[in-house]
Amino acid sequence: MRTVLLLCLVLGMSGCGLVALPFRVTGDVISVVPVVGKPIGAPIHAVGDAID
């Protein structure tokens, strides 16, 4: 069952989505930091959008 779920995840994220994922996750994690998180996280998240 675990293998089937992993296979579905990999097939759904093939191509650009797989490359953009680290940028999106990093941008979301940084945006949680109070005061400076939003201004710093937005450009990082925008890189993920540009890759897609």
Side-chain angles (χ1 to χ4, degrees), residues 35-49:
V35 181
V36 296
K38 294 274 185 190
I40 294 173
I44 296 172
H45 202 281
V47 171
D49 290 339

Side-chain angles (χ1 to χ4, degrees), residues 2 6 8 10 12-13 15 18-20 22 25 27 30 32 34-36 38-39 41-44 49-51:
R2 179 182 282 170
L6 183 60
C8 289
V10 170
M13 294 183 57
L18 189 60
V19 175
V25 170
I30 290 174
V32 176
V35 181
V36 296
K38 294 274 185 190
I44 296 172
D49 290 339
I51 292 173

